[in-house]
Amino acid sequence: MKKIIIFSGTTEGRTLSTLLTQRRIPHVVCVASAYGGEMMEDSTFAELHIGRMDAEEMKQFLSARISGAEGMVVDATHPYATEVTANIKLAAEAQGVPYLRVVRGASDAAPGDMAVYSDIRACAEAMDQTSGNILLTTGSKELRAYCEVVSEETRKRTYVRVLPTMSSLEQCISEGIEGDHIIAMHGPFTRECNEAILRQYDIRHLVTKDSGTAGGFLAKAEAAEAATVQLHVIARPVEEEGVSLKEAERVLLSLLSECQESGSIPEVSIVGMGMGSSGCRLLMAEEALHAADAVFGASRLLEGLKDIPEVRKYAMYRAEEIIPVLERECFNRVVILYSGDTGFYSGARKMLRALKEWKPDLQVEMFPGISSFSYLAAKLGESYEDAALFSLHGKNSEADFGALLGEVRHHSKVFALLSGPEDVPEIAKRLLAAGIEGSISVGTDLSGEGEQIDTYSLSEAESFRREGISTVLIRNSVPEKRVLLPVKRDTEFLRDRIPMTKECIRHESILRLELREGDVLYDIGGGTGSVAIEAAALSSSLKVYTIERKPEAAALIRENLKNTGTENVTVIEGEAPAALSGLPKPDAVFIGGSGGNLREILETLTAMGTGTRYVINAVSMETIGEIRELLKDYPAEDERTVMIAVSDVREVGSHHLLQAQNPVWIFSFSI
């Protein structure tokens, strides 16, 4: 890796250091004072050296860090620091290291009546011939030479603006500057600020250096003109050869791009390519591609880049393949391609996470693409804001097809991405078996030369055989309305001799769990699975784990899951709390049976973290008492308890009699 040492203390030095830091390039920054160090951006990539060095010390400093043409010494010191610049140049030459001087241009817009002096002493002699207050803005380093020349009377009418550091203040005091004549401030100073100071202290003469626009010279000159103050300028010692800040930035970036060991990280763009044809690429994607050094993506996407032949192409789209290449090579701009739209059933989000884990400070820009859904909808003259959107791409399990069937059952339109053409007849067969009436529009190789879009009845779609990448629109002629409160009857569950939480108790218990979308729910003591299945029916986004220690009961739960078509419940066969190991932290927990391990179960659950909602059912007086005692040991919130007694009505001859169920206590609380 190239080694770069910046001698700073100016805006230019700080800017160059920031440029390297943004690209995660380790470098060294040298400043003369602690105050200069405080002005630098805090960065793990910038090693900061504070302290003045003479010529010999600079040689030793460089010798310990750099030699030959392995890097560069950048001199971004102040234009008036001629001795420092000479020492830096000599030290770099002694080590055979390339030297780059960053020159701040002199101001080209200044009052024509300003007075110019060769040095501070010549200016001080002229000040003795003036009257009125003087503002000296040449810094504390020049103060001693000024005070050695001027008379006592001139010194007393001189105000000094210096940096707010102890060394600057001590220098002023040692030269006999009164405290009320010291203006300790840090710039940059605007024209308005300068003018306000000139007027506040009734200044008639402003002494400054020509530090260029970046050093605030123009703002001082304009303020002096506005306040009718005479401007006195210390001329630059010599006309220097060097480069501008912008040129220095280009030199450094060019130097770094020559390296084979990548010390920087590239600018990364994740680009959605739409359906893949160049005619469907957005302009922003075009610009990113034409600016890239390297492009990563699936082979079929790279084949569509024949119009960009000069870029290096890598047929890979997984983070574990791409990141090692980025570490090995030295790219400035990289594009990673994904089909369709980056925010729509895309691997782009997973790639973004992986890149951020690799380099947390990596800046990644994402560009959208035209999704096959929006393209197919446009071709068919359909809208898709009122449609359900689904993806079977890379997914063809029973649960996936079951979830698609559930969407079609309740929507008049469903757009779906497919894994392959064989999915079309499979979908049609399942829809017909479910008694659904409708049609399927199939778009194959959308936007390509072989694009074909046709609409089939469900029976016709059973014979679909066309090869190619397919997207479908499934129409349901008579969609079912969703049940707003999907409660289940006891008669919907197989029971055998397994205990089951009855309807009314089950409904009330689930209500008190206060489930939210995306929650993780534990059902401990699953029994028949009635609580888990009814809760899971509230939202497909729920992840439900039902824990059951009896093998025959676990088998019954699986059968009930199959009969009810429930896909978002996982059966954990084992005894709690041991069976909870490895499961994600729950948002809600229902305990219908603890097997005598209630205290141990609560200890395990609370160790996972706080913010969990609990509902516990109890029938026996012993369990009720145990729960009451446990709640004394835990900081439970929002505690509520209800006892429900339910009686069924049964017919006995010509009469209807009440048949009482066991009263059930329902405890709910949060920990």
Side-chain angles (χ1 to χ4, degrees):
M1 183 186 301
K2 302 289 185 179
K3 294 181 180 178
I4 298 172
I5 298 177
I6 300 174
F7 286 85
S8 183
T10 60
T11 302
E12 289 85 350
R14 292 193 294 272
T15 301
L16 292 174
S17 177
T18 299
L19 175 74
L20 297 178
T21 294
Q22 288 173 344
R23 285 160 174 76
R24 301 172 70 88
I25 308 299
H27 57 285
V28 180
V29 181
C30 302
V31 293
S33 66
Y35 190 83
E38 292 171 5
M39 293 299 101
M40 294 299 303
E41 179 183 342
D42 187 23
S43 167
T44 56
F45 298 97
E47 176 189 344
L48 191 61
H49 177 273
I50 299 174
R52 291 182 170 84
M53 293 182 280
D54 60 24
E56 188 58 36
E57 288 171 333
M58 280 187 184
K59 289 180 183 179
Q60 293 175 4
F61 181 83
L62 294 185
S63 175
R65 289 165 173 78
I66 191 170
S67 64
E70 63 178 359
M72 179 169 285
V73 170
V74 180
D75 180 5
T77 57
H78 199 277
Y80 285 77
T82 53
E83 183 178 351
V84 173
T85 289
N87 289 340
I88 295 171
K89 191 171 184 179
L90 286 172
E93 289 174 352
Q95 290 301 120
V97 179
Y99 168 87
L100 182 68
R101 173 59 173 157
V102 183
V103 176
R104 178 184 294 175
S107 300
D108 53 6
D113 60 345
M114 68 179 183
V116 180
Y117 307 91
S118 60
D119 57 30
I120 189 66
R121 289 180 175 274
C123 181
E125 291 174 358
M127 290 302 101
D128 266 343
Q129 309 305 314
T130 64
S131 61
N133 291 342
I134 302 165
L135 177 61
L136 196 67
T137 64
T138 52
S140 59
K141 285 177 61 178
E142 303 285 359
L143 187 57
R144 173 167 295 178
Y146 176 89
C147 291
E148 285 177 351
V149 173
V150 298
S151 65
E152 180 71 5
E153 182 274 334
T154 300
R155 183 176 55 77
K156 288 185 175 180
R157 57 187 174 91
T158 298
Y159 290 76
V160 181
R161 188 167 76 186
V162 294
L163 291 172
T165 63
M166 287 303 299
S167 60
S168 295
L169 295 175
E170 288 170 356
Q171 182 69 31
C172 291
I173 293 170
S174 68
E175 299 301 333
I177 304 298
E178 298 292 337
D180 59 352
H181 280 48
I182 301 173
I183 305 170
M185 298 176 67
H186 180 266
F189 301 99
T190 63
R191 182 194 65 77
E192 292 80 5
C193 180
N194 286 324
E195 185 179 344
I197 292 173
L198 295 177
R199 295 188 185 280
Q200 179 179 349
Y201 295 98
D202 192 25
I203 301 299
R204 307 316 314 151
H205 301 274
L206 172 60
V207 179
T208 183
K209 296 175 181 177
D210 183 4
S211 54
T213 301
F217 175 79
L218 192 58
K220 295 177 190 176
E222 290 175 347
E225 186 174 25
T228 320
V229 170
Q230 176 63 49
L231 186 65
H232 302 266
V233 180
I234 312 300
R236 291 197 175 190
V238 292
E239 286 295 328
E240 292 186 279
E241 291 185 359
V243 300
S244 68
L245 174 61
K246 287 298 180 185
E247 289 169 330
E249 291 177 343
R250 285 195 291 271
V251 170
L252 286 182
L253 292 178
S254 174
L255 175 73
L256 295 170
S257 66
E258 294 172 1
C259 68
Q260 292 303 312
E261 177 187 356
S262 176
S264 64
I265 57 176
E267 296 177 6
V268 177
S269 299
I270 298 178
V271 172
M273 292 286 283
M275 281 64 63
S277 69
S278 59
C280 287
R281 296 202 298 254
L282 300 183
L283 179 59
M284 60 182 70
E286 287 291 320
E287 292 174 346
L289 285 166
H290 282 281
D293 310 291
V295 177
F296 297 81
S299 297
R300 71 176 185 87
L301 296 178
L302 296 177
E303 288 170 4
L305 299 182
K306 293 184 175 65
D307 55 325
I308 312 177
E310 67 279 2
V311 71
R312 294 175 66 178
K313 302 180 181 73
Y314 295 82
M316 52 184 69
Y317 53 88
R318 294 186 177 88
E320 57 268 28
E321 298 174 313
I322 294 174
I323 289 175
V325 178
L326 298 182
E327 290 176 330
R328 184 174 67 249
E329 301 293 339
C330 184
F331 299 128
N332 290 322
R333 293 181 178 87
V334 167
V335 169
I336 303 173
L337 303 179
Y338 284 94
S339 61
D341 181 22
T342 53
F344 196 79
Y345 294 110
S346 173
R349 184 170 57 179
K350 184 178 179 181
M351 174 60 70
L352 178 61
R353 285 198 301 267
L355 290 172
K356 288 294 188 180
E357 288 174 2
W358 170 54
K359 300 282 189 184
D361 297 333
L362 181 69
Q363 293 194 3
V364 182
E365 194 166 11
M366 297 184 72
F367 298 111
I370 300 174
S371 73
S372 56
F373 287 176
S374 62
Y375 185 93
L376 180 60
K379 287 286 188 175
L380 293 171
E382 282 280 8
S383 62
Y384 65 97
E385 80 273 1
D386 54 344
L389 308 177
F390 198 85
S391 177
L392 276 177
H393 186 66
K395 302 181 292 183
N396 56 4
S397 68
E398 283 295 318
D400 297 321
F401 280 109
L404 174 60
L405 179 61
E407 292 297 316
V408 175
R409 189 185 300 277
H410 298 290
H411 291 88
S412 60
K413 291 185 289 186
V414 175
F415 285 89
L417 302 174
L418 305 185
S419 289
E422 65 278 3
D423 289 344
V424 175
E426 182 65 25
I427 292 170
K429 181 180 71 173
R430 290 171 182 265
L431 295 179
L432 287 169
I436 291 174
E437 299 177 8
S439 63
I440 299 181
S441 295
V442 185
T444 306
D445 293 336
L446 295 177
S447 83
E449 293 180 2
E451 174 183 294
Q452 191 166 341
I453 301 174
D454 294 296
T455 299
Y456 306 91
S457 67
L458 295 182
S459 56
E460 291 171 337
E462 281 191 290
S463 303
F464 182 86
R465 293 294 182 270
R466 187 187 313 133
E467 292 298 320
I469 299 172
S470 299
T471 302
V472 298
L473 166 59
I474 306 169
R475 296 180 180 88
N476 182 354
S477 302
V478 190
E480 298 177 13
K481 292 184 177 180
R482 289 188 187 274
V483 177
L484 294 180
L485 192 61
V487 297
K488 295 189 176 296
R489 303 292 184 187
D490 286 348
T491 53
E492 295 182 51
F493 298 101
L494 299 175
R495 182 179 176 185
D496 199 9
R497 291 176 294 177
I498 302 300
M500 180 172 68
T501 303
K502 300 295 182 59
E503 280 181 27
C504 294
I505 306 302
R506 184 168 66 246
H507 303 338
E508 184 65 26
S509 297
I510 292 174
L511 178 69
R512 289 169 181 264
L513 285 168
E514 299 178 6
L515 294 169
R516 294 170 174 79
E517 289 183 334
D519 273 358
V520 172
L521 168 65
Y522 290 179
D523 168 27
I524 298 177
T528 62
S530 63
V531 171
I533 291 170
E534 184 166 317
L538 294 173
S539 172
S540 60
S541 70
L542 293 172
K543 293 180 177 63
V544 183
Y545 297 88
T546 182
I547 294 90
E548 176 52 57
R549 61 193 178 98
K550 296 179 180 179
E552 62 272 23
L556 187 65
I557 294 172
R558 293 187 180 96
E559 198 167 348
N560 278 324
L561 289 173
K562 182 179 179 181
N563 291 341
T564 57
T566 304
E567 305 291 348
N568 54 330
V569 174
T570 301
V571 180
I572 306 295
E573 191 170 335
E575 187 166 5
L580 306 179
S581 176
L583 297 183
K585 177 188 176 299
D587 301 290
V589 176
F590 172 76
I591 303 177
S594 64
N597 300 326
L598 188 55
R599 179 174 289 277
E600 291 81 2
I601 290 171
L602 275 181
E603 287 176 353
T604 299
L605 291 171
T606 53
M608 292 183 181
T610 59
T612 302
R613 183 77 179 157
Y614 294 84
V615 172
I616 306 177
N617 287 0
V619 176
S620 70
M621 297 301 295
E622 288 76 13
T623 304
I624 294 168
E626 183 181 7
I627 295 171
R628 298 305 313 167
E629 287 299 314
L630 282 172
L631 288 176
K632 294 178 182 178
D633 299 335
Y634 290 93
E637 299 177 357
D638 193 23
E639 180 187 343
R640 290 181 291 168
T641 306
V642 64
M643 188 277 285
I644 298 179
V646 178
S647 294
D648 293 325
V649 176
R650 65 186 180 93
E651 292 185 34
V652 179
S654 60
H655 292 79
H656 292 76
L657 302 181
L658 295 177
Q659 183 174 353
Q661 298 178 12
N662 287 330
V664 178
W665 290 64
I666 303 177
F667 296 86
S668 62
F669 52 90
S670 297
I671 298 178

